[in-house]
Amino acid sequence: MALHVATALAGGAAQDAAGAIIKELGAQLGAHQPRLVVVFASTQQPLEAVLPPISKAYPQAVVLGSSTAGEFTERGDRKGHVSALAVSGDVGVSAGLGRGLGADADAAVRTAAAGLAPLDPTRPFRTALMLLDPLAGVSEEVTLLAAAHLGEKVPLAGGAAGDDLKMTRTFVALGNQVAHDALVLAALDTSEPLGLGVNHGHTPLSQTFTVTKAHGATVETINNRPAWDVWVEATQQDARARGMDPATLPAADVGAFLLLYEAGLDTGDGPLKIRAPLSKAPNGAISFACGIPQGASIRITRSVAQAQVDSARAAAAMAKKALRGKTPGGALVFDCICRNLILKDGFASAVDAIHKELGSVPVAGFETYGEVALNAGDMSGFHNTTTVVLAFPR
Amino acid sequence: MVDNSTSLRLPRLELSKLMSQTMGLEKADAMVAEAMTALQLSTADVNQEEALRILEHIAAQPGLVGISARFAKGRVHLRWSNG
């Protein structure tokens, strides 16, 4: 039996949005009962209110959820909405939820992984899906722990929950369990491989620098100078060409400036791994979306809007290729809120590029606080300002 | 059957690359060099047992560095099982 993917997007009060989602998914699925329903809800539609009616409507499905910073399907990009994707057909789905991420990430991952079913030999291709609370501060660690637990042959995709940029509390959910400081891990077992694609739209601008003083997600000095001073110097020429002077930026414009000039971790092979700078401190330190160890080598990157659209398309092309000749039937997309802030109204064109690259199939996703993509055998993991596409074969 | 644990050797830089995605190559290579000094290993390449000892040493570090080394241990097993 083939896979069938349906998507829905709805706004309004939580109960109304849930009702509209159920109605739209039902219209597209027809007689097919979904095995998997993934729900992405803004802070205006709390998951506690959205998920129970959806779980009740689809008793045979594993229902996963995440709070968001933006929601989209192939029909548009919204704020304050709920997006959802449902998959019916030949897929086995099992999942677990682990709490207490910040205190003991290892234990939380083990608890979540305990909910995964043993591999079914009739569906030999396992892909894992992970939703996590990034405000626990251990997103990269959790990604590596989950990948280690799953084993090197299982691709891992997912995203870090958002809260409409309030940065106060983010939630993930499994069925009617909604939790912060938690992760949800799901196994999707299929008879054909799913396709995972990942890409970003940043290119190196500066030479390689060494992080000389850092703790957690804060970089204090680079090449023994305040991080901000290095950022200003390395970006000045490019920024002035865009009509901004980083040396005299008003405080309110620093965040937007940093999104254009993000850090790229020099990993030796392949593309730079993007690390999003978020703010500067009075002492010239820069805070990032996730940890950068002292001693790391980084380059400052630049980004233009078209490159962000092109990279979304490239991620979709990579996911499509990974389907090994099978026709895409739909896709989950995890796309960083930073990319939305860079593209503004143009973000919808990035979603459209993914939709068209996959053959105009249904796509649904949310704007994340970090993205998870780890193909079988690779060493990648937790990303910033990146697009992750998980394609389902038809 | 070939015993890959003794016949296959991994260049030190390849071992460092197993952790470069989380800490960058320069930092990862520095951690490997430090561990090799502590373990009194000085070869340009390592066998599986040596690679695992190096990563075990780094895995004792707190936080992301330690977890990255634990993750890399799994990839070392993969490298050797794939020959």
Side-chain angles (χ1 to χ4, degrees):
Chain A
M1 186 165 58
L3 295 177
H4 186 79
V5 177
T7 60
L9 182 66
Q15 292 290 338
D16 297 339
I21 292 284
I22 293 164
K23 189 176 176 186
E24 179 60 32
L25 292 180
Q28 293 175 43
L29 290 169
H32 301 291
Q33 276 295 312
R35 302 287 179 192
L36 171 70
V37 180
V38 192
V39 178
F40 306 122
S42 87
T43 54
Q44 293 179 37
Q45 294 92 6
L47 287 164
E48 290 94 334
V50 173
L51 285 188
I54 293 176
S55 296
K56 190 176 176 187
Y58 301 115
Q60 294 177 29
V62 172
V63 179
L64 314 177
S66 174
S67 58
T68 66
E71 313 74 37
F72 56 84
T73 70
E74 74 280 6
R75 289 181 288 281
D77 170 46
R78 301 283 186 275
K79 300 290 181 199
H81 276 59
V82 179
S83 64
L85 178 140
V87 183
S88 67
D90 186 19
V91 56
V93 185
S94 55
L97 183 145
R99 298 171 192 263
L101 211 49
D104 190 343
D106 215 343
V109 168
R110 281 199 308 273
T111 302
L116 307 186
L119 196 59
D120 175 357
T122 66
R123 294 178 179 131
F125 295 98
R126 171 164 286 189
T127 303
L129 193 57
M130 184 165 74
L131 302 170
L132 62 96
D133 175 357
L135 301 187
V138 288
S139 299
E140 177 126 45
E141 289 88 335
V142 169
T143 302
L144 291 174
L145 288 166
H149 200 94
L150 290 160
E152 59 275 359
K153 292 179 181 168
V154 178
L156 176 63
D163 66 350
D164 292 322
L165 291 173
K166 293 172 187 166
M167 299 292 176
T168 52
R169 192 161 275 197
T170 54
F171 296 91
V172 296
L174 171 60
N176 293 339
Q177 299 177 76
V178 180
H180 69 95
D181 192 27
L183 83 150
V184 168
L185 193 60
L188 316 182
D189 297 332
T190 50
S191 53
E192 301 286 349
L194 307 188
L196 179 58
V198 54
N199 209 327
H200 64 72
H202 297 262
T203 52
L205 175 68
S206 78
Q207 64 186 85
T208 300
F209 298 115
T210 301
V211 173
T212 42
K213 189 174 181 189
H215 49 88
T218 301
V219 173
E220 291 202 7
T221 63
I222 294 169
N223 285 11
N224 294 311
R225 297 174 58 207
W228 176 254
D229 292 355
V230 173
W231 233 262
V232 168
E233 190 175 287
T235 60
Q236 206 151 39
Q237 190 178 350
D238 193 82
R240 281 180 176 159
R242 299 185 196 222
M244 66 173 95
D245 183 354
T248 59
L249 271 183
D253 294 343
V254 167
F257 161 77
L258 287 171
L259 287 176
L260 293 175
Y261 299 104
E262 302 199 7
L265 198 58
D266 187 353
T267 61
D269 283 339
L272 297 172
K273 197 168 176 194
I274 299 302
R275 290 289 172 255
L278 301 177
S279 62
K280 74 161 182 163
N283 68 351
I286 296 179
S287 292
F288 285 78
C290 62
I292 298 185
Q294 192 166 299
S297 40
I298 60 167
R299 296 177 75 176
I300 297 171
T301 69
R302 70 190 293 269
S303 179
V304 295
Q306 187 56 46
Q308 297 292 336
V309 175
D310 293 344
S311 67
R313 185 182 294 108
M318 183 181 173
K320 186 175 163 184
K321 190 176 175 188
L323 291 176
R324 300 187 200 170
K326 296 288 178 186
T327 305
L332 272 171
V333 180
F334 304 94
D335 212 326
C336 189
I337 180 60
C338 295
R339 288 168 41 80
N340 184 286
L341 296 172
I342 293 167
L343 285 167
K344 300 185 174 70
D345 291 342
F347 184 78
S349 61
V351 176
D352 194 51
I354 294 168
H355 172 58
K356 292 208 165 73
E357 183 66 34
L358 294 174
S360 298
V361 297
V363 299
F366 78 102
E367 283 140 51
T368 62
Y369 287 175
E371 305 74 51
V372 174
L374 198 135
N375 260 311
D378 78 14
M379 274 82 65
S380 156
F382 191 71
H383 304 262
N384 295 155
T385 320
T386 292
T387 304
V388 172
V389 177
L390 180 64
F392 296 86
R394 188 164 285 170
Chain B
M1 187 174 139
V2 177
D3 179 3
N4 283 324
S5 66
T6 54
S7 62
L8 179 69
R9 297 188 71 84
L10 193 67
R12 190 187 100 176
L13 191 62
E14 291 302 311
L15 187 62
S16 303
K17 283 179 182 174
L18 294 174
M19 298 183 293
S20 70
Q21 292 282 339
T22 51
M23 60 182 92
L25 183 58
E26 193 175 329
K27 169 78 172 177
D29 202 40
M31 296 303 296
V32 169
E34 193 180 303
M36 288 181 75
T37 301
L39 297 169
Q40 298 182 312
L41 297 169
S42 58
T43 50
D45 50 25
V46 294
N47 64 24
Q48 184 178 21
E49 186 256 330
E50 290 165 339
L52 290 173
R53 280 177 62 206
I54 290 165
L55 293 174
E56 280 285 358
H57 186 88
I58 300 170
Q61 296 269 333
L64 186 57
V65 170
I67 289 174
S68 184
R70 285 167 57 192
F71 173 77
K73 281 173 60 186
R75 295 314 195 221
V76 161
H77 286 299
L78 178 69
R79 287 286 176 102
W80 262 270
S81 64
N82 287 345

